[in-house]
Amino acid sequence: MTTQTPQETTKDVPKEIFLRDYKPPSHSFAKVELAFDLREQGTTVRSIISAVPASGSTGELFLHGDESVKLDGVTVNGSAHERYERGSKGLTLKDLPNEPFELSITTTIEPQENTALEGLYKSSGNFCTQCEAEGFRRITFYQDRPDCMSTFTTRIEADKAKYPVLLSNGNLIDSGELEGGRHFTVWEDPWVKPCYLFALVAGNLGMIEDKFKTMSGKDVTLRIFTEKHNIDKCAHAMTSLIKSMKWDEETFGLEYDLDLFNIVAVDDFNMGAMENKSLNIFNSRLVLATPQSATDADYAAIEGVVAHEYFHNYTGNRVTCRDWFQLSLKEGLTVYRDQEFSADMNSRGVKRIGDVSRLRTAQFAQDAGPMAHPIRPESYIKMDNFYTVTVYEKGAEVVRMYETLLGKDGFRKGMDLYFQRHDGQAVTTEDFFAAMSDANGADLSTFKPWYSQAGTPRVTANGSYDADAKTFTLSLTQVVPKTPGQDTKIPVMCPVAVGLVGPDGKDMELTLDGKSVGTTTVLRFDKAEATYTFTGVEAKPVPSILRNFSAPVRLTTNLTQDDLVFLMANDSDAFNRWEAGQTLLRTLLLDLIKGDGQYKMDAAITTAMRAIIAGAKEPNADKAFIARAMMVPSAGELSDMLDEGTVDPAKIHEARTFVMKTLATELRADLEATMKANSAEKYSNEPADRAARSLKNTCIGYLSYLDDAAIAAMTYERFASADNMTDKIAALNSLSDKECDERIKAFAEFYEEWNKDPLVMNKWLGLQAMSNLPNNIANVKALMEGPAFDIKNPNKVYSLIGGFCASSVNFHAADGSGYEFLADVVIKLDDLNGQVASRMVSAFTRWKKYEPSRSSAMRAQLERIRAKKGLSENVFEIVSKSLEA
Ligand code: BES
Ligand code: ZN
């Protein structure tokens, strides 16, 4: 007998799924009728499927089904069918008819025991579902794949007193009373959809209602459901929904396609929100808001996410994905759409800066580590692990590049053709690419590697001015770095938007290849090297390169410090004005971090920062932009720019603290004056007020770096008197790293005031968890045992445990205690909720980035987790890829 490794003997060796193995389904499902009998224990689900064998059918049909689902019976055309095999992933039905047949399946499930929050589960006593990506298989046996599209009719039966509200997708076509205090509803969704868009809600919920008249004059009823005590917190979500519907009509000509649109807010939800057809289900943190309980950032997130899920109705639902490797087809595109919506509703430049910061800190880091993957991945073990910043945020950048290359009108033509060709279909990113190319008669072949290559291209740009020839030459080079499994790369088309700023601070009119090209031109840079020569350049300009961050690349230029200071003051492109300042700050901080510990401030930077703050006094100052420009690059962004094997989070923290403290000391008078000038008498939610609030709170954040009792007292005073959550949280945050009585008092009072509101308690947990006060881990452990925490609730885990992982000092404590704590939590969570556990374990993926003692401590924890018996596939995939790469 041969010996096998333990891995080979377990029947559940996690299996990797490959894009190249894609095969169309063996049967199509013309129609599905579901009937749910909801009970406190043992919910039964009957499904009747009109199945149609594809040509060449072998009489076998594989249906996905989770091991937790109890199979009560299968019938084919009304007769019991016993020729099937059940495996750990589902059911293979055999000897099926060769013509269309009716398949009926009955299952029993236990939603009340479902802690994974996938499939049908209970949240605050109500039933709800989450089926994307592969949750439907926890409800019944089905072809749980997005290219199996069908119409659904859903009958829901439940106790009437406990669950007066019974919802599913589509239109309500029947309802009534039943014996024993029970009642039922029947819903019919006329649009074909994959099962991941199925949803059901049953509960005792309150509701607000509004109306929307579509561009063709149809009335749509809009409803938002929440637990009754939260019903007064839904107005902002409703306003956001109406704005989204209007925007999609105006921008893309897309009109809502049913008479009813529902949103339901639930407290227990793994993700942010879900676009189920006409029945979106939201994490309550992305619905509920009042000025007293939610911050300006929460308001903005709600507006963006409501829009995102609504926009999926076309980009995701009407046209969906052929398989999960195509996820970016719907997510990248829909993120691009929600970014554009938010840019139109708020300050465009500030929105772009926020989006790029997030891309750089999170996505660039992922693209440089063991989990690097293309926006269209090649394989996965657990699809949940591929809802990543790469698929989403880099995917959105790829969509944005079409717009940059083809122009707004060209992009719209491509979108129109995409819907014309593919409405009602499950398609691929190739189909999207083809629609964009064909609609514009454009050859975009060198653009394609954006879909298949991982890694962030490195672009260098060197400019030189020839005073005699009056030319300005820009030389570009690009290299796409190696990533796990991809050793060779080819150049990819990068749209590089360029302008030349003259000595007068104004954009020059550009001439390239003898043609006049305006003041910003988009270079189609798709080779390893290329040079571009602008002619008729009368005076030495400063080039503004990669305007609006026109491609998701790492850019290095030969701009001098003087050039950058000049661009900060003069660039017409808001993004590059901000970027110039950030480049100065990044250079300074990286020098300090890599230096010998003798910290020295750069006077030019202090002067530049003083000028930025002074800008707030100008009559039409963009205060939101100024607040953003005052922000110093985050620890995460800096860490990403350091070499593998060198990162010492304590040093990054020290260097950042030095810079903040020095600026606060030298600019104290300016900061205090700006803070006072922007302190409103009374809260208001107008854009100008929000901008002033963010500027004021940025000033307070700086001042908090001063060791001055008066500042702590002032901050506490502002905390105590704040009439809105934005200001309360800003003040509390400014106290949270300070060893002072005010901090203790403020956190205690905040708890007293808000302990009944779980969403506000998440903020309270998060701020304490992130604190860089020495030995704060003890406080975090105590909070975990306290009444505000619940390990079964994802929001609480993200706030407390996720927050802790963001502390440079305590998560990365030199003694390894932070790493050990995280591993303990992951091991515990893994049994309850694999998705949440795998998100938490991701804090370890970049272990090789750290200096030797920390990286070996992190590695040891990864190994400890890998050794856990019965580890979920979710965590297994992240841990094994991290260790192997
Ligand atoms: N379709 C997703 C939600 C989802 C993802 C459910 C993965 C289950 C597994 C939804 O459209 C989405 O992308 N939500 C984001 C927020 C969005 C604004 C980027 C989320 O939940 O974080
Ligand atoms: Zn989405």
Side-chain angles (χ1 to χ4, degrees):
M1 233 170 73
T2 56
T3 50
Q4 290 179 312
T5 65
Q7 279 251 321
E8 286 167 320
T9 51
T10 27
K11 70 170 173 26
D12 293 326
V13 183
K15 193 169 151 244
E16 198 162 3
I17 320 276
F18 293 88
L19 167 59
R20 59 169 185 264
D21 293 341
Y22 173 82
K23 287 194 192 59
S26 67
H27 292 68
S28 58
F29 290 174
K31 197 170 94 178
V32 181
E33 288 172 49
L34 299 170
F36 288 80
D37 187 22
L38 300 174
R39 303 275 168 175
E40 297 315 300
Q41 267 157 12
T43 287
T44 59
V45 184
R46 196 194 63 223
S47 112
I48 302 175
I49 299 169
S50 304
V52 183
S55 64
S57 157
T58 60
E60 281 198 7
L61 167 58
F62 178 73
L63 301 176
H64 300 95
D66 190 75
E67 282 176 313
S68 62
V69 179
K70 181 168 163 281
L71 178 61
D72 299 324
V74 181
T75 71
V76 170
N77 291 330
S79 320
H81 188 87
E82 264 143 28
R83 275 143 307 156
Y84 61 75
E85 252 168 44
R86 182 158 186 189
S88 65
K89 302 267 171 192
L91 202 62
T92 308
L93 301 176
K94 307 197 162 165
D95 305 327
L96 293 167
N98 251 322
E99 58 273 2
F101 59 93
E102 188 191 272
L103 171 65
S104 169
I105 297 173
T106 309
T107 56
T108 302
I109 52 180
E110 307 293 342
Q112 73 285 354
E113 278 158 29
N114 181 345
T115 59
L117 314 184
E118 277 183 281
L120 180 65
Y121 64 93
K122 287 192 105 175
S123 175
S124 314
N126 301 318
F127 288 95
C128 64
T129 54
Q130 172 55 42
C131 294
E132 186 177 6
E134 300 182 330
F136 197 74
R137 61 189 64 183
R138 292 173 182 257
I139 296 175
T140 182
F141 292 89
Y142 197 79
Q143 293 193 103
D144 188 0
R145 42 186 292 168
D147 57 355
C148 177
M149 297 175 85
S150 187
T151 57
F152 284 70
T153 304
T154 307
R155 183 183 191 280
I156 311 168
E157 180 186 322
D159 184 86
K160 186 167 183 185
K162 271 203 167 115
Y163 311 102
V165 175
L166 304 176
L167 306 172
S168 190
N169 317 87
N171 305 314
L172 181 68
I173 56 167
D174 196 7
S175 64
E177 310 281 318
L178 297 165
E179 275 173 23
R182 295 177 68 78
H183 71 149
F184 75 95
T185 58
V186 182
W187 296 82
E188 185 179 68
D189 182 357
W191 297 99
V192 292
K193 66 168 177 286
C195 64
Y196 84 84
L197 291 171
F198 169 80
L200 175 157
V201 170
N204 188 1
L205 300 167
M207 182 255 282
I208 66 162
E209 187 173 297
D210 211 321
K211 275 207 159 5
F212 181 80
K213 199 181 258 321
T214 70
M215 59 200 230
S216 71
K218 279 187 298 178
D219 283 315
V220 183
T221 300
L222 313 175
R223 291 183 177 145
I224 300 182
F225 294 85
T226 68
E227 286 181 75
K228 287 183 179 145
H229 62 272
N230 285 325
I231 207 65
D232 56 340
K233 297 186 179 149
C234 300
H236 174 63
M238 184 62 92
T239 310
S240 304
L241 175 60
I242 291 170
K243 285 183 182 172
S244 313
M245 296 177 84
K246 188 107 201 101
W247 186 89
D248 218 11
E249 292 184 345
E250 286 169 355
T251 315
F252 289 106
L254 298 172
E255 184 178 9
Y256 188 61
D257 56 5
L258 284 165
D259 304 333
L260 176 63
F261 188 88
N262 289 320
I263 288 178
V264 179
V266 301
D267 283 343
D268 303 280
F269 202 73
N270 287 339
M271 300 288 292
M274 178 64 209
E275 71 266 24
N276 319 299
K277 185 81 188 189
S278 78
L279 181 51
N280 288 3
I281 299 183
F282 272 62
N283 189 320
S284 56
R285 79 180 166 84
L286 289 164
V287 174
L288 307 177
T290 62
Q292 285 64 49
S293 67
T295 62
D296 291 340
D298 294 329
Y299 271 75
I302 291 169
E303 183 178 78
V305 180
V306 167
H308 177 99
E309 305 311 336
Y310 174 72
F311 295 156
H312 268 315
N313 190 51
Y314 278 90
T315 52
N317 301 4
R318 288 281 287 266
V319 183
T320 195
C321 302
R322 186 193 72 172
D323 54 71
W324 290 120
F325 298 103
Q326 316 300 327
L327 181 63
S328 202
L329 175 81
K330 76 172 175 87
E331 294 302 348
L333 177 55
T334 304
V335 170
Y336 162 80
R337 276 152 55 67
D338 84 52
Q339 288 177 349
E340 283 300 291
F341 166 75
S342 293
D344 284 345
M345 296 299 123
N346 305 287
S347 156
R348 180 164 278 273
V350 174
K351 173 68 180 153
R352 184 70 186 136
I353 289 165
D355 292 338
V356 174
S357 298
R358 180 168 149 69
L359 182 82
R360 276 188 179 146
T361 346
Q363 199 280 324
F364 282 18
Q366 180 169 70
D367 233 352
M371 275 295 291
H373 54 276
I375 64 165
R376 183 188 60 211
E378 233 105 80
S379 74
Y380 59 79
I381 291 176
K382 198 71 185 153
M383 187 53 211
D384 306 328
N385 286 329
F386 284 83
Y387 286 75
T388 60
V389 280
T390 296
V391 167
Y392 274 67
E393 259 66 31
K394 187 177 181 178
E397 293 300 318
V398 170
V399 172
R400 183 174 297 280
M401 285 190 285
Y402 286 108
E403 193 219 282
T404 305
L405 290 164
L406 303 171
K408 269 232 167 325
D409 293 344
F411 185 78
R412 172 66 196 269
K413 277 195 219 154
M415 290 290 280
D416 289 349
L417 184 60
Y418 175 65
F419 293 118
Q420 199 184 308
R421 283 182 177 171
H422 301 299
D423 193 10
Q425 298 176 6
V427 303
T428 64
T429 54
E430 298 269 336
D431 294 316
F432 185 78
F433 174 90
M436 283 290 155
S437 308
D438 296 351
N440 290 280
D443 174 9
L444 297 175
S445 49
T446 55
F447 189 79
K448 276 198 172 176
W450 282 113
Y451 288 99
S452 55
Q453 287 188 158
T456 309
R458 295 180 180 276
V459 172
T460 64
N462 285 311
S464 62
Y465 181 62
D466 183 332
D468 296 331
K470 304 223 177 305
T471 58
F472 185 84
T473 303
L474 194 64
S475 308
L476 300 180
T477 69
Q478 65 164 294
V479 176
V480 185
K482 286 186 185 178
T483 50
Q486 289 189 337
D487 283 351
T488 55
K489 310 266 184 173
I490 55 171
V492 55
M493 188 193 290
C494 298
V496 179
V498 180
L500 299 180
V501 187
D504 59 354
K506 302 234 153 48
D507 277 349
M508 294 174 155
E509 287 293 334
L510 306 177
T511 307
L512 188 64
D513 299 328
K515 280 196 289 281
S516 187
V517 293
T519 53
T520 299
T521 189
V522 177
L523 308 174
R524 294 185 166 208
F525 174 47
D526 61 359
K527 308 237 158 37
E529 295 178 25
T531 60
Y532 303 85
T533 302
F534 296 93
T535 53
V537 184
E538 295 299 328
K540 186 174 186 222
V542 177
S544 168
I545 305 163
L546 209 68
R547 281 186 160 170
N548 202 38
F549 202 65
S550 58
V553 300
R554 294 181 191 260
L555 177 69
T556 319
T557 70
N558 66 339
L559 292 174
T560 63
Q561 191 176 58
D562 286 348
D563 292 339
L564 292 168
V565 171
F566 178 82
L567 289 177
M568 267 175 86
N570 295 295
D571 203 322
S572 63
D573 183 72
F575 178 83
N576 266 2
R577 236 170 24 244
W578 171 78
E579 176 68 354
Q582 293 293 299
T583 307
L584 291 171
L585 284 163
R586 271 195 301 265
T587 311
L588 166 70
L589 279 156
L590 291 172
D591 284 349
L592 296 179
I593 292 163
K594 291 179 195 162
D596 55 6
Q598 299 291 40
Y599 294 153
K600 199 175 158 303
M601 190 61 188
D602 182 334
I605 289 181
T606 312
T607 306
M609 190 62 85
R610 180 173 279 122
I612 292 176
I613 300 171
K617 286 182 288 195
E618 307 277 320
N620 287 319
D622 182 346
K623 292 180 179 175
F625 177 85
I626 293 170
R628 194 76 227 199
M630 287 169 70
M631 280 168 64
V632 169
S634 68
E637 192 181 334
L638 294 166
S639 164
D640 172 62
M641 301 187 80
L642 293 164
D643 289 337
E644 204 79 352
T646 67
V647 173
D648 178 345
K651 272 203 186 138
I652 297 180
H653 181 67
E654 250 175 53
R656 265 192 105 250
T657 305
F658 167 78
V659 169
M660 292 296 292
K661 198 167 177 165
T662 309
L663 288 170
T665 309
E666 295 188 17
L667 303 174
R668 177 170 186 161
D670 309 68
L671 290 164
E672 286 183 332
T674 309
M675 173 185 77
K676 290 201 182 104
N678 289 281
S679 298
E681 278 286 300
K682 210 173 151 297
Y683 172 87
S684 149
N685 200 8
E686 293 307 306
D689 299 284
R690 291 201 300 264
R693 210 154 34 236
S694 95
L695 179 58
K696 169 192 67 178
N697 287 327
T698 306
C699 294
I700 298 175
Y702 264 94
L703 293 167
S704 73
Y705 279 84
L706 300 171
D707 293 320
D708 182 335
I711 298 286
M714 176 277 287
T715 309
Y716 173 78
E717 196 37 57
R718 285 178 175 268
F719 165 82
S721 63
D723 65 353
N724 65 85
M725 188 53 79
T726 306
D727 287 344
K728 261 212 185 312
I729 287 291
L732 199 55
N733 188 28
S734 292
L735 289 169
S736 68
D737 275 4
K738 278 171 114 62
E739 195 71 87
C740 60
D741 292 345
E742 284 88 348
R743 177 181 60 85
I744 296 165
K745 235 166 74 179
F747 275 104
E749 289 170 12
F750 193 86
Y751 181 83
E752 278 314 305
E753 188 176 354
W754 291 106
N755 66 72
K756 296 282 175 321
D757 187 326
L759 294 176
V760 179
M761 277 296 98
N762 294 340
K763 301 179 193 298
W764 182 81
L765 289 169
L767 279 186
Q768 292 180 84
M770 282 186 285
S771 169
N772 283 312
L773 283 179
N775 299 319
N776 187 50
I777 188 168
N779 186 32
V780 173
K781 286 179 175 169
L783 288 168
M784 243 188 116
E785 302 306 317
F789 186 75
D790 173 3
I791 197 168
K792 289 188 180 161
N793 178 269
N795 288 352
K796 306 249 169 243
V797 175
Y798 299 146
S799 291
L800 187 64
I801 311 303
F804 176 71
C805 295
S807 163
S808 304
V809 171
N810 294 298
F811 176 56
H812 293 288
D815 63 2
S817 55
Y819 304 149
E820 189 179 352
F821 170 68
L822 178 64
D824 288 343
V825 175
V826 168
I827 287 169
K828 185 163 172 206
L829 255 176
D830 186 65
D831 288 328
L832 299 167
N833 187 326
Q835 263 187 56
V836 175
S838 115
R839 285 215 202 169
M840 288 299 106
V841 84
S842 298
F844 286 139
T845 39
R846 301 288 330 266
W847 60 279
K848 282 190 182 157
K849 191 84 189 167
Y850 294 89
E851 49 78 25
S853 80
R854 286 186 175 82
S855 67
S856 64
M858 288 172 116
R859 184 206 171 116
Q861 297 305 328
L862 279 167
E863 277 164 353
R864 183 157 76 92
I865 296 166
R866 185 165 61 177
K868 185 206 158 209
K869 263 205 170 138
L871 195 63
S872 69
E873 289 185 336
N874 303 62
V875 173
F876 172 84
E877 177 167 34
I878 303 291
V879 169
S880 57
K881 286 184 176 167
S882 302
L883 285 169
E884 281 151 26

